[in-house]
Amino acid sequence: MLIALIARDKEGALQTRLDNRSAHLSYIEETGVVSQAGPLLDGDAMIGSLIILDVEDMDAAKTWADNDPYAKAGLFYSVELVPWKKVIG
């Protein structure tokens, strides 16, 4: 099941993002369920994340999202998990 994780950073939280980026990228690599990922941008500024998870169900997506080092560090003011269907690519 593909799930789009759309997360918005708290205002002024760039340093939190930078401080936890290495752990976040390691988590992505270690878990093996991320098919695509990248930051949401406002100009050149990173303001959130879009991550496509390939997981068994919504519970697995919630567990993954809760254990993301960015989430544990309190980076996000909102996280949305939405079932997604790949059509192109």
Side-chain angles (χ1 to χ4, degrees):
M1 170 177 215
L2 296 175
I3 305 287
L5 183 158
I6 304 162
R8 304 286 181 164
D9 293 0
K10 292 177 181 172
E11 191 170 328
L14 178 59
Q15 194 59 52
T16 301
R17 176 176 278 278
L18 296 175
D19 291 346
N20 291 278
R21 188 166 194 271
S22 178
H24 168 74
L25 294 175
S26 292
Y27 180 65
I28 287 174
E29 187 174 323
E30 291 165 8
T31 58
V33 298
V34 174
S35 70
Q36 298 180 56
L40 300 175
L41 301 174
D42 182 7
D44 291 333
M46 293 180 285
I47 60 164
S49 297
L50 171 62
I51 301 171
I52 305 299
L53 300 170
D54 188 353
V55 292
E56 186 173 319
D57 54 28
M58 186 60 77
D59 286 339
K62 289 177 184 175
T63 298
W64 191 95
D66 289 345
N67 288 294
D68 179 358
Y70 279 168
K72 288 184 171 187
L75 175 61
F76 305 128
Y77 78 81
S78 71
V79 175
E80 186 177 8
L81 295 167
V82 182
W84 183 71
K85 180 179 178 180
K86 182 177 179 179
V87 176
I88 299 172

